[in-house]
Amino acid sequence: MKSHLVSFVLALIGCLFSIYMQSMAYWSNDAMLWYWVGAILSYIFAAGSFITLNFNKNKDSVLSISCLILMILTVMLILVTVFWTAFIIIAGQSGM
C-alpha cells in the first residue's frame, strides 16, 4: 500500500506541474525557461509514477480494493498529465 501511495503522490505532483506550467511562462521576462521546466518536470513525475506503479504491480499478487482504486486513480492522473501537457505545448507552439 505504501508504494502505491508513493506512486499516487508522484502522479499528483506531475499533474500539478501540468496544470500550472502555462502560468510558469510568465515568471521571467526573457524566455520561456520556466514553462519548459514545468513541462519537463510534469513528464518526469508522470514517468516516475508509472515506473513505481509497474514495480508495484510485479510485487503484489493479490490487491485489496483500496490498492486497486489507488492504482486506477494513479493511471488516470498519469494520463491526464501527459495529455494535458502535450495539448498545452502543441497549442503554445501553434500560436493559440
Side-chain angles (χ1 to χ4, degrees), residues 8-83:
F8 177 74
V9 168
L10 287 174
L12 190 63
I13 292 171
C15 191
L16 288 175
F17 271 116
S18 176
I19 291 169
Y20 290 114
M21 69 171 261
Q22 190 174 6
S23 65
M24 291 170 76
Y26 302 107
W27 285 6
S28 69
N29 296 330
D30 299 339
M32 300 278 283
L33 172 74
W34 294 111
Y35 173 83
W36 290 110
V37 167
I40 290 170
L41 285 175
S42 69
Y43 282 135
I44 286 173
F45 279 106
S49 175
F50 183 72
I51 289 169
T52 56
L53 192 64
N54 278 335
F55 284 145
N56 297 338
K57 183 183 73 166
N58 295 334
K59 289 182 183 178
D60 299 335
S61 60
V62 177
L63 294 173
S64 65
I65 297 296
S66 61
C67 285
L68 188 62
I69 290 172
L70 198 59
M71 284 177 60
I72 291 170
L73 286 174
T74 302
V75 169
M76 288 173 50
L77 278 174
I78 291 170
L79 290 175
V80 165
T81 299
V82 169
F83 287 131

